[in-house]
Amino acid sequence: MKIFLIPCPIAENTSSEVLSPQILAALQQTTHFLVENVRTARRFISELKLGIQIDSLVFEVLDKDTQPKTVTDFYKKHSSVEYIGVISEAGCPGVADPGALAVSIAQQQNIEVIPLVGPSSILLGLMGSGFSGQSFAFIGYLPIDKAARIRKIEQLDRDVAKWGQTQIFIETPYRNNSLLEDLITQCAPDSFICIACDITAPTGFVQTKKASDWAKAQPDLHKKPCIFLLGK
């Protein structure tokens, strides 16, 4: 048995531009999948038009609530299968994603893991920011509580100024505008903020500006998938 980590698009209608032939070949060899959402995984594979009979595929849910036993039992039940694919909702499995559980258990059981190259909003945002790629950290979500979020932003801004480590984080799309306002207000005026929005989509952009410059013209980020970065 081998585990394919299968990236999927992070923007709609971009499969032909962002998915490599290696990913398509892996899908054509795979009949069993651990997926974050069965419905969207089925649609993803179907829309690629690879001649795969979707109803013949076997899916098991692997999301944030999945217990290790579920994955262990899936591997045991299908131990004679040559390939098992792991697919997340968007981007690369295992990167800020529940797919890491499938990989961890596979490593413990000495099952070969084959990560495939594909779009990752975290890495694409970092690449396009102009910030340090030698030292960076993905923070995930900042605190929801206003006071705690402000304290976290102030801390991250100080850490960037002191250590030069790029700080990367995300927010629920409907709170993007509020987060940007807090970043502009709490970061030093000459601190650099990068917004990577709708990456790989025709409407996407990656822009780095000082906090004081973002304050002059704030983009509307409401309900748009974004990655935020602080760096120097």
Side-chain angles (χ1 to χ4, degrees):
M1 179 190 298
K2 299 178 181 180
I3 307 297
F4 278 133
L5 304 183
I6 301 173
C8 60
I10 55 179
E12 292 184 356
N13 304 315
T14 59
S15 295
S16 60
E17 288 82 22
V18 302
L19 299 185
S20 70
Q22 184 188 31
I23 294 173
L24 305 183
L27 283 166
Q28 289 177 313
Q29 298 176 74
T30 308
T31 56
H32 292 62
F33 295 90
L34 288 161
V35 301
E36 195 168 358
N37 183 291
V38 173
R39 182 178 63 84
T40 54
R42 288 170 62 94
R43 186 173 68 232
F44 162 58
I45 297 171
S46 178
E47 289 177 351
L48 295 175
K49 301 186 184 305
L50 298 174
I52 298 172
Q53 296 297 317
I54 303 299
D55 290 340
S56 68
L57 303 178
V58 177
F59 295 95
E60 179 71 46
V61 172
L62 171 55
D63 60 19
K64 61 182 179 62
D65 297 318
T66 299
Q67 298 300 306
K69 186 177 186 303
T70 299
V71 178
T72 301
D73 289 348
F74 187 79
Y75 287 162
K76 183 177 180 180
K77 181 178 180 180
H78 303 292
S79 58
S80 62
V81 172
E82 186 173 3
Y83 298 107
I84 289 178
V86 179
I87 303 175
S88 68
E89 279 291 87
C92 297
V95 180
D97 174 80
L101 176 61
V103 179
S104 175
I105 293 173
Q107 294 287 3
Q108 294 169 28
Q109 298 185 5
N110 293 316
I111 299 171
E112 183 177 355
V113 176
I114 306 173
L116 303 179
V117 175
S120 165
S121 58
I122 297 170
L123 291 180
L124 291 173
L126 177 63
M127 291 166 63
S129 68
F131 297 155
S132 173
Q134 299 296 325
S135 179
F136 57 91
F138 177 65
I139 308 300
Y141 290 91
L142 299 190
I144 295 176
D145 177 75
K146 179 79 169 180
R149 184 166 69 250
I150 288 173
R151 289 194 298 272
K152 185 65 175 179
I153 290 170
E154 291 174 341
Q155 175 207 321
L156 294 176
D157 193 37
R158 289 194 300 269
D159 288 348
V160 169
K162 185 175 182 179
W163 307 110
Q165 183 182 62
T166 303
Q167 304 295 321
I168 310 170
F169 44 93
I170 56 177
E171 181 55 282
T172 302
Y174 68 85
R175 288 200 291 261
N176 281 337
N177 286 338
S178 176
L179 174 57
L180 179 57
E181 290 174 3
D182 287 339
L183 289 170
I184 292 170
T185 302
Q186 304 305 322
C187 290
D190 60 350
S191 292
F192 285 101
I193 301 169
C194 177
I195 302 171
C197 179
D198 271 343
I199 301 179
T200 73
T203 56
F205 67 86
V206 182
Q207 288 187 319
T208 298
K209 298 180 182 180
K210 291 182 178 179
S212 57
D213 291 328
W214 281 120
K216 298 173 186 176
Q218 296 184 39
D220 183 9
L221 306 175
H222 186 58
K223 292 189 176 180
K224 297 177 181 179
C226 293
I227 294 285
F228 297 88
L229 305 92
L230 299 179
K232 59 187 301 186

